[in-house]
Amino acid sequence: MSPSVPLQEMIRAIRSARTQCEERGVIQRECAAIRAQFRQADNGGRSHNLAKLLYVHMLGYPAHFGQMECVRMIASPRYSEKRVGYLGAMMLLDEKQDASLLITNSIKNDLSNSNQYIQSLALCTLACMGSAEMCRDLAPEIDRLLRASNSYIKKKAALCAVHIVRKVHDLGELFTKAARSLLTEKNHGVVHGAVVLITELCERNSETLERFRKTVPDLVQIMKGLVISGYSPDHDVAGISDPFLQVRILRLLRILGRNNEAASDAMNDLLAQVATNTDSTKTVGNAVLYETVLTVLDIKSESGLRVLAVNILGRFLLNNDRNIRYIAMTSLQKIVGTDHNAVQRHRGTIVDCLKDQDASVKRRALDLSLALVSASNIRSMMKELLSFLSSCPPELRSQTASGIFNAAERYAPSQRWHIDTILHVLTTAGGDVRDETVPNLIQLITNTSELHCYTVHKLYRALLSDISQQPLVQVACWCIGEYGDLLLRGECQETEPVQVTEDDVLDVLETVLQSHMSSPSTRGFALTATMKLSTRITENVDRIRSIVSIYGSCIDVELQQRAVEYNALFKKYDHMRAAVLERMPVIEKNSQGHINGETIKESQTVKVKPGEPQQPPNQVCDLLDLLGGSEQPLQPSPALGSTAPPMPVSTANTVGGDLLDLLGGLEPTPITPVATVTVYEKDGVTVTLSCEKQSDSGLTVTLTASNSTESDIRGFTLQAAVPKSVQLHMKAPSGDSLPARGAAKVTQMVVLNNPNKVNLKMRLRISYTSQGSAVQDTVQIDSFPGLGQ
Amino acid sequence: MQFMLLFSRQGKLRLQKWYVPLSDKEKKKITRELVQTVLARKPKMCSFLEWRDLKIVYKRYASLYFCCAIEDQDNELITLEIIHRYVELLDKYFGSVCELDIIFNFEKAYFILDEFLLGGEAQETSKKNVLKAIEQADLLQEVRYTPNHSHV
């Protein structure tokens, strides 16, 4: 074909432009000339002009004024003009342009042209950019061509039909019969087109799928022909006979054999044959093997064949070609759930791929490695994962961190290992962990009482070296606040103790408070920790007092509020400080709202808790002795501002029910007199209890306290604990002072929900100050009036 | 296949074939981003990458990158073979093809591609048949074109 001289001249001119500006100038001139030419009558150079325009379009310049020219050219009787016209249509007209509809008629005419190359142009264009309307219009034509034309046209018509079906699903019905008969043709192109069409039809419609299952034997035959046949020069690629057709047939077999025993059986032998006979030294052979493996793993194949497939993937993993390794890992990922043991065998190679240079391979290896972690290999896998974390690309860090946490959560061989692992992650990739890591870690630490000393030492050391990683700093501050006394004691079994003074510890916390690297929530942690230390240290309480009062005028509202409240705690409620700042009890991890998608973790924790003999929750607070199982954490009286750091301390926060509880509790209690029973009577202080059922499992308990002594009682608080499965919600008490001689009472309502209908018990702790001295007492309530227990 | 792009090492587009309907603006955006992503990759890296929700298969031949976007169910390895087959076709047609051939004869590169792929799928698996068809079409163009034959 002789080159288009005008076109080439223009291209040369554009390329010789030295600057962008010059190029733009050349193009503007050319476009103007082209536009002028378009307006003129028919001359011999129309196709050249349009070609020039298309070149300009490819460079990125606007070319929409050429759309109508395309339409005209397509209608031209000259083949050269038609050819460029259709090319222009495919480049400039898409279904969103109005002009595209104008060519429908031309396409229709050309589809019936006597010259097959003209028909071909029409088919190609329709398959490339045909809109739904055009497809609907021309579908019958395509069907006709599928049945009665030469193989050159048939193969194109088949792919055109594929496009039509993708655009207008309903038209699939139209082509079903023709597709079936095309399978029997000899021409590879036609068979290939037919297979693609049948695949498309089966994917769209399950009834069609059922009907085409009958073709499985035919497909198997064709495949066998390709695999066993001798060298066929036309279709050979590196020793494989027509790999493109083989891959498409395998894919169709996969769809037909899925979930169907009979079909799967029929193809079993063939798949085994392909898997063993295909030469895997070149990419093309591996392409066929890959498709075979995908098919074997997706249909109901017999176990021997599955093993063969997984072994092929294993071989792929060892291949030098990075592409093949990547493919192998993608496929293994799909089956790691179902054929876990088979994949485990290749764990070593997969873990090695974590060190690969390529980011795509690394990502795949990470996904697979996380899926392969199990109780038996947790220690070695974690080593690999942690070293990966320190060197992995930034876009993978967050995923790695959460993966490590999940794995640690499920398979931690010991508490200490678990804590160490989390700390390691926080020091390496603290910026990329999720928000709930901090409360989760805190909960984990609280639960491991024997390691409090060890943990606080480690965290203190970490804090000394680096205060930039926010989650780590937050956890460290919290721990120092809680367990600072252990730090100061200067002895530790599991690790080298530090010799610190109270000032040292306070210095560290102040540094965090003042550092510009600390986020507002981190500073909140630090301030609260400082406050908590006021009950755990002996000498430097004044320093704490001054820190707290300084922050009373801090710009950050949250810090200011905290500081002001802590100030109040120092000044007016000093007698309560000890109680308020006590050690935190075990935190229940049952707030689902915070944990997104980590449902495995959830169900794990839920499974572990009920019924099992609990390791006794190590409370310093002795109220929560075993009450037939681990109990709900203490409810500090809601009258005082809670000083707990932001955590899912969930007492009433269990799934679903708590909102109803609240609403249940808000109902006015009926006026009918209810049975009351005295539960505590000592030193002139009396507490009575009455209760009434609100619902099948809900119960409202009213506690009334009175003081019959000669002196007033101040700071009266009640705290309650109930068995584990019972939900408790304490309302605000009516007051906290009991005037002498029973002049007034204090009432407090407690709403309980007992869904499991366990034996209801409650332990009550009463604290108050009378005549300058603090009094604390505990009483257990085993029976509730009105409950028939 | 959703689209195929050919671009040089400087990021200049040499061929773009789109099999999905997208606006010009979207096409430009995708092209720009994808070209950047592929050019940033080091030489020994994997030929496959995940980009948005597509699988991208690319291969470099001399100074040209051949880049295809395929769907989830498509076989990446056979796509590499498709790219290779197209290069072979160009090579046979132009006789030891180089980037300049494709620049100056871009419309022919399209014609060849359209004889090999249709609607994003391979239409003819025999190299010989594709080349024969192109040859015939070229002849047809000649016959109709020579100025002496002023009739149709």
Side-chain angles (χ1 to χ4, degrees):
Chain A
M1 191 171 95
S2 49
S4 157
V5 175
L7 171 64
Q8 300 204 331
E9 273 176 10
M10 182 193 81
I11 295 177
R12 227 168 262 128
I14 293 174
R15 282 171 64 79
S16 58
R18 272 160 301 179
T19 64
Q20 185 77 354
C21 195
E22 231 184 285
E23 180 182 289
R24 257 196 299 258
V26 173
I27 290 185
Q28 260 173 11
R29 275 199 305 277
E30 289 288 344
C31 282
I34 293 170
R35 256 191 293 244
Q37 300 264 357
F38 282 170
R39 281 193 288 265
Q40 277 180 26
D42 179 15
N43 53 36
R46 275 168 72 187
S47 53
H48 299 298
N49 287 323
L50 188 53
K52 282 194 212 172
L53 183 61
L54 294 178
Y55 183 81
V56 163
H57 172 74
M58 188 153 64
L59 290 177
Y61 295 92
H64 40 265
F65 58 87
Q67 287 176 3
M68 284 317 291
E69 187 65 11
C70 291
V71 176
R72 266 180 296 215
M73 298 269 278
I74 288 174
S76 157
R78 289 208 196 105
Y79 179 72
S80 57
E81 290 177 359
K82 263 202 211 291
R83 215 180 186 191
V84 182
Y86 274 115
L87 181 64
M90 287 191 271
M91 286 176 79
L92 300 179
L93 297 174
D94 55 51
E95 59 183 43
K96 298 195 173 108
Q97 312 288 347
D98 297 326
S100 61
L101 287 173
L102 296 172
I103 61 174
T104 314
N105 215 31
S106 296
I107 294 183
K108 194 165 189 186
N109 290 338
D110 286 336
L111 282 176
S112 346
N113 196 296
S114 53
N115 188 308
Q116 66 178 12
Y117 297 105
I118 294 181
Q119 285 178 301
S120 157
L121 290 175
L123 284 167
C124 185
T125 309
L126 183 59
C128 181
M129 48 74 74
S131 66
E133 276 153 54
M134 286 163 73
C135 289
R136 252 186 272 265
D137 270 343
L138 299 167
E141 276 300 303
I142 304 297
D143 186 48
R144 190 180 60 81
L145 289 172
L146 273 179
R147 296 161 198 277
S149 54
N150 59 29
S151 42
Y152 179 76
I153 294 299
K154 270 190 190 159
K155 73 181 191 221
K156 292 182 191 254
L159 291 177
C160 205
V162 172
H163 176 85
I164 292 177
V165 171
R166 284 185 186 151
K167 281 285 176 198
V168 186
H169 305 330
D170 307 327
L171 288 172
E173 275 304 308
L174 185 61
F175 301 117
T176 318
K177 218 155 133 229
R180 180 78 183 78
S181 59
L182 284 178
L183 268 186
T184 52
E185 301 249 342
K186 290 282 165 254
N187 183 296
H188 280 226
V190 176
V191 175
H192 185 274
V195 171
V196 177
L197 178 56
I198 295 174
T199 309
E200 191 67 34
L201 292 172
C202 291
E203 278 175 344
R204 302 256 165 216
N205 187 320
S206 47
E207 275 170 35
T208 324
L209 180 75
E210 293 293 330
R211 272 189 279 167
F212 273 109
R213 275 226 181 85
K214 297 185 223 113
T215 61
V216 169
D218 298 322
L219 292 167
V220 170
Q221 259 325 96
I222 300 174
M223 266 302 277
K224 272 211 174 89
L226 291 171
V227 173
I228 306 175
S229 73
Y231 177 74
S232 122
D234 275 355
H235 302 285
D236 183 273
V237 180
I240 314 259
S241 190
D242 207 339
F244 304 106
L245 182 56
Q246 288 197 27
V247 165
R248 285 320 298 232
I249 292 182
L250 287 167
R251 187 162 144 188
L252 179 55
L253 286 175
R254 179 157 79 241
I255 296 172
L256 294 176
R258 204 179 272 155
N259 292 329
N260 187 299
E261 292 275 352
S264 303
D265 280 339
M267 49 180 95
N268 224 11
D269 287 341
L270 169 73
L271 293 171
Q273 199 168 29
V274 177
T276 32
N277 287 354
T278 309
D279 176 24
S280 59
T281 46
K282 298 270 180 66
T283 307
V284 65
N286 287 327
V288 175
L289 281 174
Y290 176 45
E291 199 72 32
T292 314
V293 167
L294 287 179
T295 303
V296 167
L297 295 175
D298 212 8
I299 63 172
K300 291 195 175 302
S301 48
E302 55 179 46
S303 60
L305 195 54
R306 278 187 100 83
V307 168
L308 186 59
V310 177
N311 285 346
I312 292 178
L313 289 180
R315 266 193 353 247
F316 277 3
L317 271 181
L318 299 167
N319 196 306
N320 283 332
D321 187 342
R322 193 173 266 129
N323 292 337
I324 309 284
R325 290 208 295 275
Y326 176 89
I327 291 293
M329 285 197 278
T330 316
S331 317
L332 286 172
Q333 184 77 37
K334 294 198 185 120
I335 59 165
V336 74
T338 47
D339 296 77
H340 191 92
N341 291 333
V343 184
Q344 278 281 6
R345 255 178 254 136
H346 304 285
R347 197 179 73 241
T349 326
I350 293 170
V351 167
D352 279 339
C353 288
L354 280 174
K355 303 186 192 95
D356 199 296
Q357 301 284 353
D358 185 315
S360 315
V361 173
K362 275 200 175 101
R363 177 179 282 124
R364 286 269 162 269
L366 175 65
D367 287 338
L368 258 182
S369 303
L370 289 174
L372 288 176
V373 173
S374 73
S376 48
N377 58 33
I378 179 73
R379 281 190 197 268
S380 51
M381 286 297 275
M382 195 51 80
K383 260 198 225 105
E384 298 286 345
L385 287 170
L386 286 174
S387 80
F388 177 67
L389 184 63
S390 37
S391 59
C392 78
E395 63 266 15
L396 290 177
R397 288 177 112 191
S398 156
Q399 191 188 346
T400 317
S402 355
I404 290 177
F405 285 149
N406 274 345
E409 181 80 30
R410 293 170 79 177
Y411 303 113
S414 75
Q415 302 272 37
R416 177 170 156 169
W417 181 95
H418 194 172
I419 290 180
D420 280 343
T421 308
I422 299 188
L423 289 181
H424 193 136
V425 175
L426 287 182
T427 32
T428 333
D432 297 295
V433 296
R434 305 236 295 259
D435 292 336
E436 59 257 18
T437 314
V438 172
N440 286 347
L441 178 57
I442 288 177
Q443 198 222 328
L444 181 65
I445 292 175
T446 341
N447 281 349
T448 343
S449 62
E450 62 272 15
L451 289 175
H452 283 167
C453 192
Y454 169 75
T455 318
V456 74
H457 274 89
K458 272 205 98 158
L459 285 168
Y460 180 74
R461 284 208 182 85
L463 208 56
L464 283 179
S465 53
D466 174 24
I467 58 167
S468 61
Q469 306 269 36
Q470 297 304 299
L472 184 65
V473 175
Q474 286 173 7
V475 175
C477 286
W478 189 90
C479 274
I480 294 177
E482 274 293 300
Y483 309 119
D485 47 330
L486 294 175
L487 194 63
L488 293 166
R489 219 179 282 163
E491 58 189 37
C492 181
Q493 285 171 332
E494 283 88 2
T495 182
E496 191 67 34
V498 286
Q499 304 299 334
V500 287
T501 64
E502 295 176 359
D503 269 323
D504 292 333
V505 178
L506 287 173
D507 280 342
V508 166
L509 287 176
E510 261 204 278
T511 320
V512 173
L513 262 176
Q514 290 162 357
S515 164
H516 63 277
M517 289 191 278
S518 303
S519 72
S521 51
T522 310
R523 296 164 100 197
F525 270 91
L527 187 61
T528 308
T530 314
M531 186 61 194
K532 282 195 211 168
L533 282 179
S534 69
T535 46
R536 288 158 176 75
I537 62 177
T538 45
E539 295 159 10
N540 267 334
V541 186
D542 283 334
R543 183 174 168 185
I544 296 182
R545 238 188 276 261
S546 63
I547 295 178
V548 162
S549 56
I550 290 174
Y551 278 88
S553 44
C554 172
I555 281 190
D556 183 283
V557 177
E558 169 73 23
L559 278 181
Q560 191 190 101
Q561 182 182 354
R562 288 187 189 214
V564 165
E565 286 177 3
Y566 296 156
N567 243 337
L569 202 56
F570 267 124
K571 301 216 162 77
K572 287 199 286 177
Y573 295 97
D574 203 36
H575 54 281
M576 313 213 81
R577 196 159 46 89
V580 168
L581 298 176
E582 254 174 1
R583 279 251 206 284
M584 294 292 290
V586 178
I587 302 156
E588 293 271 323
K589 186 165 62 159
N590 51 5
S591 59
Q592 250 186 355
H594 289 256
I595 303 175
N596 289 333
E598 290 177 21
T599 42
I600 309 163
K601 222 163 53 158
E602 266 305 306
S603 58
Q604 285 270 351
T605 49
V606 166
K607 254 196 302 201
V608 163
K609 296 256 168 83
E612 269 186 31
Q614 288 291 327
Q615 72 266 65
N618 47 302
Q619 323 301 341
V620 172
C621 172
D622 53 6
L623 179 68
L624 298 182
D625 272 352
L626 287 172
L627 245 183
S630 171
E631 295 167 60
Q632 289 275 320
L634 265 195
Q635 272 273 17
S637 170
L640 281 180
S642 166
T643 57
M647 265 188 289
V649 178
S650 53
T651 48
N653 247 9
T654 43
V655 187
D658 56 335
L659 209 54
L660 298 169
D661 275 351
L662 247 108
L663 291 174
L666 285 172
E667 281 169 57
T669 49
I671 309 169
T672 54
V674 288
T676 50
V677 69
T678 306
V679 293
Y680 175 86
E681 194 165 30
K682 199 165 153 196
D683 296 358
V685 175
T686 318
V687 178
T688 60
L689 175 149
S690 66
C691 60
E692 64 214 353
K693 276 177 94 66
Q694 300 297 339
S695 68
D696 195 37
S697 60
L699 177 73
T700 311
V701 169
T702 312
L703 298 160
T704 317
S706 62
N707 166 22
S708 58
T709 64
E710 294 298 314
S711 47
D712 294 338
I713 281 176
R714 284 171 295 113
F716 184 91
T717 50
L718 289 168
Q719 290 161 318
V722 289
K724 218 195 138 321
S725 58
V726 180
Q727 293 150 16
L728 169 144
H729 181 84
M730 287 187 92
K731 307 263 177 192
S734 61
D736 71 343
S737 60
L738 289 168
R741 289 182 228 97
K745 294 190 201 275
V746 162
T747 46
Q748 184 159 16
M749 285 222 294
V750 183
V751 178
L752 297 172
N753 190 25
N754 186 3
N756 298 348
K757 305 246 192 313
V758 302
N759 218 354
L760 194 59
K761 299 182 207 286
M762 187 189 283
R763 191 167 279 192
L764 205 58
R765 177 199 260 164
I766 301 143
S767 0
Y768 59 88
T769 312
S770 171
Q771 294 172 325
S773 53
V775 178
Q776 244 188 32
D777 212 344
T778 318
V779 69
Q780 177 146 335
I781 307 161
D782 292 317
S783 68
F784 289 74
L787 266 194
Q789 282 191 310
Chain B
M1 195 184 296
Q2 292 212 356
F3 57 85
M4 181 190 277
L5 302 173
L6 262 72
F7 49 91
S8 70
R9 291 214 281 151
Q10 286 76 38
K12 288 221 138 160
L13 201 60
R14 299 299 177 207
L15 187 146
Q16 50 173 338
K17 189 77 188 181
W18 298 84
Y19 294 107
V20 287
L22 290 167
S23 73
D24 244 2
K25 208 166 95 170
E26 285 168 320
K27 285 183 193 167
K28 283 212 175 101
K29 182 155 181 260
I30 290 175
T31 309
R32 201 178 38 237
E33 282 176 23
L34 193 53
V35 168
Q36 245 176 6
T37 311
V38 172
L39 286 176
R41 286 174 71 87
K42 302 197 202 65
K44 285 253 172 34
M45 287 174 104
C46 197
S47 282
F48 315 128
L49 59 104
E50 288 121 22
W51 184 81
R52 298 199 184 176
D53 58 341
L54 292 170
K55 297 202 276 196
I56 305 292
V57 180
Y58 75 94
K59 193 148 187 229
R60 201 182 118 207
Y61 287 86
S63 58
L64 268 182
Y65 282 89
F66 287 69
C67 184
C68 296
I70 56 176
E71 274 131 358
D72 236 10
Q73 326 87 291
D74 291 327
N75 182 326
E76 292 97 322
L77 293 175
I78 209 75
T79 311
L80 276 177
E81 287 302 311
I82 287 184
I83 293 177
H84 190 73
R85 174 57 65 89
Y86 182 46
V87 173
E88 282 177 330
L89 290 167
L90 289 170
D91 197 51
K92 213 53 196 286
Y93 183 83
F94 287 110
S96 217
V97 69
C98 65
E99 190 184 342
L100 279 178
D101 288 319
I102 300 182
I103 294 171
F104 280 95
N105 300 284
F106 75 96
E107 80 276 20
K108 289 175 206 152
Y110 274 103
F111 295 150
I112 296 171
L113 185 63
D114 286 338
E115 237 2 274
F116 174 44
L117 300 178
L118 198 92
E121 308 279 348
Q123 58 176 290
E124 179 56 66
T125 55
S126 152
K127 213 176 355 178
K128 195 177 81 177
N129 289 350
V130 177
L131 291 167
K132 207 161 60 172
I134 304 226
E135 212 181 316
Q136 295 291 350
D138 282 351
L139 279 177
L140 197 59
Q141 184 152 332
E142 289 297 309
V143 166
R144 302 286 172 135
Y145 179 66
T146 20
N148 291 345
H149 297 80
S150 55
H151 72 277
V152 145

